């Protein structure tokens, strides 16, 4: 787990994990990876953003792309309407 700050200034922690050794009985059975960013909101609640994807495949989303997307995370404040 490491510290991470988004482009909008949200500070939190990010961790990435990978699975391996998945029994490949079907063409869609692949190893996987996940990245989760957790942070405290302005209201003091905890929130998170997660990416889940296939690992070890031709179209695997590169870690640099996951981090670029993660950098765009910002808080959402719903309107009162």
């Amino acid at each position: 787990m490491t510290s991470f700050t988004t482009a909008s200034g949200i500070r939190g922690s990010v961790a990435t994990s990978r699975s391996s050794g998945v029994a490949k009985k079907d063409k869609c059975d692949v190893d996987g990876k996940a990245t989760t960013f957790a942070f405290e909101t302005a209201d003091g609640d905890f929130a998170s953003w997660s990416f889940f994807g296939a690992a070890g495949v031709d179209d695997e989303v590169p870690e640099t792309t996951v981090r670029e997307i993660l950098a765009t995370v910002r808080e959402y404040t719903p309107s009162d309407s």
Side-chain angles (χ1 to χ4, degrees):
M1 185 168 17
T2 59
S3 296
F4 189 87
T5 303
T6 68
S8 64
I10 298 173
R11 294 180 183 192
S13 298
V14 65
T16 299
S17 61
R18 298 177 74 89
S19 66
S20 62
V22 172
K24 302 196 174 42
K25 298 177 184 175
D26 188 28
K27 67 179 182 176
C28 293
D29 297 334
V30 297
D31 294 336
K33 66 180 183 178
T35 298
T36 298
F37 173 62
F39 58 95
E40 187 173 353
T41 68
D43 294 333
D45 296 324
F46 289 99
S48 64
W49 172 90
S50 295
F51 169 86
F52 305 97
V57 296
D58 290 341
D59 291 333
E60 177 178 347
V61 177
E63 187 63 26
T64 54
T65 301
V66 174
R67 295 296 174 122
E68 287 173 3
I69 295 167
L70 170 57
T72 68
V73 170
R74 59 189 181 277
E75 279 197 61
Y76 169 73
T77 304
S79 64
D80 291 334
S81 57

